[in-house]
Amino acid sequence: MSSLSPTGGRARRLALTSGAAVLTGALLAAGAATASAGAAPEHHDATSVAATAQALGLGAKEELVVKDVIKDADGTVHTRYERTYAGLPVLGGDLIVHRAADGTVKDVTKAVKAAIKVASLTPKQTPTAATSAAVKAAKAAKTTGAAATGDAPRKVIWAADGKPVLAYETVVTGTQHDGVTPSKLRVITDANTGKKLYEIQLINDIAGGITAKGGSGAAAAGGAQVAAVGTGASQYSGTVNLNTTKSSTGYTLVDSVRGGSSTVDLKHKTSGKGTVFTDADNKWGTGSPANNQTAAVDAAYGAAQTWDFYKNVLHRNGIKNDGRAPVSRVHYGNAYVNAFWDDSTFTITYGDGDGNKKPLTQLDVAGHEFSHGVTSATANLEYSGESGGLNEATSDIFGTAVEWNANNAQDKGDYLLGEKIDIFGNGKPLRYQDKPSKDGRGSADYWSASVGDLDVHYSSGVANHFFYLLSEGSGAKDINGVHYDSPTVDGSTVTGIGRDKAVQIWYKALTTYFTSTTDYHGARQGTLKAAADLYGANSAEVKAVDAAWAGVNVKG
């Protein structure tokens, strides 16, 4: 269910690379604009962006497109760029320019070092051949009903493996090998040889290889005009307040305070837009999964708490930092044991769990799926190999942080993922951050050269373990009523710096230093830089980051 590895079995390791600040004078001359976090990319005028490309030494056929801008408290500006070559998107061509408040370039972070250049822009393979190859790859991945989307394959430059080649990008839809989860498989094929270069699943689910039941659907949002506050009886978080919208016939589960966040009912269908939940008296659910509204209460509450975490703790205004909220979809299929994020539809979708009795709408699951959207909007970590493990771990880390921040008496903060949804039917959580291998399903406690070959839900264990060690330290301890015992690879002792600081470091690294191809060693480098930015180059926090990575066998 989840992602697929690149061709050749072993996933590639592509380190985050940095350019020295020798470009300072040229980029100062470029006059590149600065902007605060959330500033629209179009605020960078074409002249300054073109001048930046020239100063970076990019070729005449290369252009930069601003994707995201983050401004630090000290005035440092981190501008994330996508790249094109002769008008074609360069996959793996993303880079970040880090400028001091006066415009001086401090550093440049690139997804790959290679110069972007191909011998010819005329493909030897036809788009039809690329489509056939992509559908064949999807069928090999056990995609049911594999079919290319209506759009023709997109011609691109594939650079993520380090050697730029002319390629086709095709998206094949269908159903994943569990027979339930929708599939949007992106396949990259060499435009000259027809060889498959890469494939990646665009549906980001939480459960990984766990067998699921159910179906698929599309999103719909409701609208109204007057904000209201109702109460909901949730299954996992007790009685909660819900921001709703009053309509002429009652109330809709639309939160106008938080970007128009809406919750819709798919009614156990596998297609269709779903229906926005409505209620006559603004009292929602009963706390029992037998009541159709209960799962909606948990989903809406999870969406609200996640929004508030990002806004109040990380100062981010929604997934794309633009004030827009996603749609939450519940009652997906029948007895579907999974939840997933779909970036193309901007939706979070929840199944009702085994027997339709344990919806996957727990608070940390909501935070997990929302955070997949944030990763896509920032570093856009490729969902395969080590970068895919970092993608999954990022969602686990922020899902955990959302649960702690909510401070809900019925769903207390912990370092366990999905501990209430009973996804295995034995009362055990989906994942353990203090010692990931406790899941018994192959999650990695430590980095090794082969960790990128694992499913991303299991390779994520390395970063989850790092986050726990950085937050709480190694060894046995009881926290908030849960017993943990976190080892290190070499028996060393790690002293934690607290979860709040660990979260800030991870978020800063994600948004200002990680790229689409960042691997575990690149993540170490990025978090060390983030800690230095936040707390000082010689701070205890920087030393703790270094020690925590060493504890999971990621060393300099």
Side-chain angles (χ1 to χ4, degrees):
M1 186 180 332
S2 71
S3 65
L4 298 165
S5 295
T7 302
R10 174 163 294 186
R12 82 264 185 262
R13 281 190 59 231
L14 291 172
L16 173 151
T17 59
S18 299
V22 296
L23 302 170
T24 298
L27 281 171
L28 275 171
T34 61
S36 60
E42 58 267 27
H43 289 177
H44 286 250
D45 63 80
T47 300
S48 68
V49 174
T52 298
Q54 184 178 16
L56 286 170
L58 304 187
K61 294 182 179 180
E62 296 181 71
E63 293 184 359
L64 296 175
V65 179
V66 178
K67 178 180 180 181
D68 192 34
V69 182
I70 299 292
K71 185 174 183 178
D72 295 345
D74 66 358
T76 299
V77 176
H78 310 268
T79 306
R80 185 182 297 273
Y81 297 94
E82 301 287 358
R83 200 179 334 183
T84 64
Y85 178 86
L88 302 179
V90 179
L91 307 184
D94 49 304
L95 56 90
I96 310 163
V97 177
H98 313 280
R99 299 180 182 88
D102 63 359
T104 302
V105 172
K106 300 168 70 174
D107 206 358
V108 179
T109 304
K110 295 182 179 180
V112 293
K113 292 181 179 179
I116 308 301
K117 185 178 182 180
V118 295
S120 173
L121 293 171
T122 303
K124 296 179 181 179
Q125 297 287 314
T126 66
T128 300
T131 297
S132 297
V135 171
K136 182 179 179 181
K139 289 180 177 178
K142 300 182 179 179
T143 301
T144 302
T149 61
D151 299 327
R154 184 172 70 150
K155 197 161 64 170
V156 300
I157 303 299
W158 173 252
D161 284 329
K163 181 181 179 181
V165 297
L166 184 67
Y168 283 113
E169 176 191 56
T170 309
V171 177
V172 181
T173 60
T175 304
Q176 292 187 39
H177 63 76
D178 63 351
V180 193
T181 307
S183 176
K184 292 183 180 179
L185 191 68
R186 186 178 71 166
V187 182
I188 310 297
T189 53
D190 191 310
N192 292 316
T193 67
K195 178 184 178 182
K196 184 183 72 175
L197 300 172
Y198 198 72
E199 59 187 44
I200 186 171
Q201 181 56 249
L202 298 178
I203 297 294
N204 304 140
D205 67 321
I206 192 170
I210 297 170
T211 300
K213 309 170 185 176
S216 149
Q225 299 176 353
V226 181
V229 178
T231 58
S234 76
Q235 183 169 349
Y236 303 120
S237 297
T239 300
V240 297
N241 289 330
L242 298 173
N243 281 3
T244 61
T245 305
K246 189 174 180 6
S247 68
S248 59
T249 58
Y251 299 86
T252 58
L253 208 48
V254 178
D255 187 345
S256 61
V257 176
R258 298 178 177 87
S261 176
S262 62
T263 307
V264 305
D265 185 2
L266 290 176
K267 300 180 180 179
H268 303 289
K269 294 182 179 180
T270 59
S271 62
K273 293 183 177 181
T275 306
V276 177
F277 280 89
T278 60
D279 186 79
D281 62 3
N282 215 14
K283 295 181 179 179
W284 307 78
T286 64
S288 167
N291 181 279
N292 192 53
Q293 292 184 351
T294 298
V297 171
D298 276 297
Y301 174 70
Q305 290 300 314
T306 303
W307 182 278
D308 289 351
F309 162 75
Y310 273 100
K311 183 176 182 180
N312 299 331
V313 177
L314 299 177
H315 309 295
R316 188 175 188 86
N317 189 22
I319 284 173
K320 293 186 177 181
N321 214 10
D322 62 358
R324 176 191 172 204
V327 175
S328 297
R329 314 188 309 171
V330 299
H331 302 312
Y332 175 97
N334 180 45
Y336 178 61
V337 191
N338 213 334
F340 60 86
W341 167 258
D342 185 345
D343 204 61
S344 66
T345 59
F346 215 59
T347 57
I348 300 170
T349 300
Y350 301 97
D352 285 325
D354 193 29
N356 294 317
K357 295 180 180 179
K358 290 283 188 177
L360 274 79
T361 49
Q362 190 186 346
L363 190 52
D364 55 4
V365 178
H368 174 105
E369 300 304 343
F370 188 106
S371 297
H372 273 307
V374 174
T375 295
S376 177
T378 55
N380 196 28
L381 290 157
E382 290 282 5
Y383 202 57
S384 185
E386 291 191 24
S387 60
L390 288 165
N391 189 318
E392 267 299 300
T394 295
S395 283
D396 285 349
I397 287 166
F398 292 138
T400 293
V402 166
E403 191 176 78
W404 280 97
N405 188 67
N407 196 27
N408 183 286
Q410 300 301 313
D411 188 3
K412 295 180 179 179
D414 53 48
Y415 293 94
L416 311 172
L417 268 294
E419 70 279 3
K420 287 181 172 287
I421 57 179
D422 196 20
I423 201 165
F424 301 117
N426 57 9
K428 294 183 179 180
L430 177 60
R431 284 191 277 280
Y432 303 79
Q433 292 183 303
D434 65 318
K435 188 178 181 182
S437 62
K438 286 198 295 187
D439 65 3
R441 303 183 65 84
S443 286
D445 292 333
Y446 312 115
W447 181 85
S448 69
S450 61
V451 77
D453 295 338
L454 298 176
D455 181 282
V456 296
H457 299 86
Y458 307 140
S459 61
S460 63
V462 179
N464 274 321
H465 194 188
F466 160 80
F467 174 73
Y468 177 86
L469 288 171
L470 184 61
S471 299
E472 305 291 349
S474 57
K477 59 197 68 179
D478 295 310
I479 305 169
N480 219 16
V482 179
H483 181 73
Y484 302 97
D485 193 355
S486 191
T488 56
V489 68
D490 56 2
S492 61
T493 298
V494 174
T495 302
I497 59 173
R499 182 180 54 261
D500 292 343
K501 288 182 177 180
V503 165
Q504 294 292 341
I505 289 169
W506 192 266
Y507 178 73
K508 179 157 185 60
L510 175 76
T511 55
T512 60
Y513 293 112
F514 290 1
T515 70
S516 61
T517 62
T518 295
D519 65 0
Y520 273 116
H521 288 79
R524 175 184 176 275
Q525 183 180 352
T527 49
L528 284 169
K529 289 181 178 180
D533 289 348
L534 292 170
Y535 305 109
N538 297 313
S539 64
E541 289 81 4
V542 169
K543 294 174 183 176
V545 168
D546 187 44
W549 278 122
V552 297
N553 202 36
V554 181
K555 302 175 182 179

